[in-house]
Amino acid sequence: MKHQRTLSIAAAAATLVALSACTGDAGGERVGRCTIADEFAAGTPVDATPSGEITFQTTALKASFSEYFTELIEDFEAAYPGTTVIWEDDPGDGSFATRLVADAQACSLADVVNMPLATAGGLREQGFLADLDAASPGIGADFIPSLWDSLVLPGDDHHYVLPWYWGLIGLQTYNTELMQRAGLDPEQPPTTFEELFDAADQVAERSNGEFSAFSASLGLRLPLEWQLQEAEVIADDGSAFVFADDPAVQEWTERMTRLALAGGIPKDSIASDDEPTALFTQGATVWGSPNASSLRYVQEGNPGVYEHVGVSSLLDRRGTAIAEVQTIGVPSTSTNPATAIAFARFLLAAEQQNRFISDPRIQNFPSTTESLGIPKLTDITGTAPIDEANRLAVELADEAEIVTIVQWSDAVANAVNAELQLALTGKKAPREALQAAQDAANRVIGADAR
């Protein structure tokens, strides 16, 4: 379950604008040229007996978890005779949003879809997701309350997605051997981003170019690292990005630029959207991913580096970790609402999640309250880096918050990153690049035209 940067369909928002839902003719209510299911259009509970065929789409899970999903589908079909679930798995690469948009336009979205929250925000805005509170009253009763409550998307008070597995941003992973070579004390890792930049500057100064502090990984870092510093990224009403005026963002950008120009960031990573895990696994950087799940790849990819991995929290001004959640949605255009709703509930029931999250390969959290009590999360006794990361993550999970900015789409991220890359390569002053990034982001969401 590789950590992925949140994706969004807003990269193709201009196309989707033309697909807004409308009251239809004799063919029923429609979104674009797709027919919305009568039950979803009416906003009434879906109480028919599940039957017939549906499609279920996951994201990059088939290679590692085929056995789990095969058994789960068999169990569902046994519990609901007459049903058939066709499982599809999207690779979840950089074209995911584009494919999802194409499926929406072609009225061929799967009946149950796994997607990041930001992507769900785009689909919901255009009318492609069913109102689950209306379709299945009480559907959120078993989920962790804070998680469930924070899934209400801007501009609405209902739920259009269900929470599935989720990960934390609030940890730091580091190579203790490289720290020592740079004259840093691995027993005293940074506790704030200011201290992190101080330590990174020392790495740049003393590593003699043999290794770097961390990769740029702008696609992963932003806007989360700004949010961990309580920066104001977007106006409260969501109408416009305002991060260029925030002192914490300005400081972050200036320090990243100085570090990059001093050689503390691999040049190749500045224009790349790759995760930091690859370089960290190679022993090329001191710091790796802030996500505990990344350590499984380090362990498998380079046991020599894994042996020297240290883990601690890095929360900065918020004092709480940020939760990144994978969600499950049911498209309003599903042709089998009853079976789709039933399967979504079955997939996310505590019994299924207990078994899924108990898999030792998974370092994510489940979304039901009951599932937080499984031994894997309550009885961590090992001392390996993964154990340390899991223990810290469990401690932080109780108060973690979902702070996804649904307007931070792929298009916004690309626009912001392109400008910041100019700063990190010395081609534009940090403040100038930041303002240009904000202007570009606002053009994407149409804020400049309001």
Side-chain angles (χ1 to χ4, degrees), residues 98-148:
T98 302
R99 286 192 294 275
L100 208 63
V101 170
D103 288 345
Q105 292 172 325
C107 315
S108 60
L109 285 169
D111 297 282
V112 179
V113 185
N114 166 209
M115 68 191 99
L117 182 57
T119 306
L123 283 177
R124 191 275 301 178
E125 184 177 1
Q126 301 302 326
F128 280 103
L129 290 182
D131 179 343
L132 297 172
D133 289 316
S136 186
I139 194 171
D142 294 334
F143 296 122
I144 300 167
S146 61
L147 208 60
W148 180 243

Side-chain angles (χ1 to χ4, degrees), residues 38-309:
D38 290 342
E39 298 93 327
F40 294 148
T44 55
V46 177
D47 54 8
T49 300
S51 65
E53 183 178 296
I54 61 168
T55 51
F56 164 48
Q57 178 177 306
T58 53
T59 304
L61 293 175
K62 200 160 196 172
S64 300
F65 302 101
S66 183
E67 181 177 352
Y68 169 79
F69 286 105
T70 299
E71 292 179 359
L72 180 144
I73 289 169
E74 290 175 351
D75 290 344
F76 175 78
E77 292 173 345
Y80 296 94
T83 61
T84 300
V85 179
I86 306 300
W87 178 28
E88 303 170 346
D89 188 66
D90 187 281
D93 55 22
S95 300
F96 172 77
T98 302
R99 286 192 294 275
L100 208 63
V101 170
D103 288 345
Q105 292 172 325
C107 315
S108 60
L109 285 169
D111 297 282
V112 179
V113 185
N114 166 209
M115 68 191 99
L117 182 57
T119 306
L123 283 177
R124 191 275 301 178
E125 184 177 1
Q126 301 302 326
F128 280 103
L129 290 182
D131 179 343
L132 297 172
D133 289 316
S136 186
I139 194 171
D142 294 334
F143 296 122
I144 300 167
S146 61
L147 208 60
W148 180 243
D149 292 345
S150 61
L151 276 178
V152 174
L153 296 169
D156 208 314
D157 56 1
H158 280 207
H159 293 81
Y160 292 81
V161 289
L162 308 173
W164 195 6
Y165 60 87
W166 53 289
L168 283 166
I169 300 297
L171 302 179
Q172 59 176 322
T173 57
Y174 45 88
N175 185 318
T176 59
E177 186 177 43
L178 294 184
M179 265 191 170
Q180 290 175 323
R181 287 174 58 185
L184 299 170
D185 182 359
E187 299 300 320
Q188 301 291 328
T191 59
T192 68
F193 278 99
E194 183 177 15
E195 292 180 2
L196 176 64
F197 277 121
D198 289 343
D201 288 341
Q202 186 166 323
V203 170
E205 180 182 349
R206 300 192 183 183
S207 66
N208 297 316
E210 296 177 8
F211 54 91
S212 303
F214 42 70
S215 65
S217 302
L218 294 173
L220 175 65
R221 295 180 186 279
L222 302 180
L224 296 173
E225 289 194 358
W226 294 348
Q227 291 170 287
L228 281 170
Q229 298 174 78
E230 290 191 321
E232 188 177 13
V233 178
I234 192 167
D236 289 341
D237 62 2
S239 61
F241 288 105
V242 295
F243 54 78
D245 295 325
D246 190 284
V249 174
Q250 293 170 356
E251 174 71 9
W252 184 94
T253 305
E254 289 169 354
R255 297 215 62 173
M256 280 287 284
T257 299
R258 290 205 300 270
L259 180 63
L261 296 179
I265 294 175
K267 290 183 179 178
D268 291 347
S269 73
I270 294 175
S272 168
D273 200 27
D274 292 342
E275 285 192 3
T277 304
L279 288 172
F280 184 69
T281 302
Q282 295 168 16
T285 59
V286 175
W287 280 273
S289 171
N291 193 303
S293 63
S294 68
L295 291 180
R296 180 165 62 87
Y297 298 93
V298 182
Q299 183 182 31
E300 296 172 352
N302 194 336
V305 167
Y306 182 72
E307 181 182 350
H308 297 288
V309 169

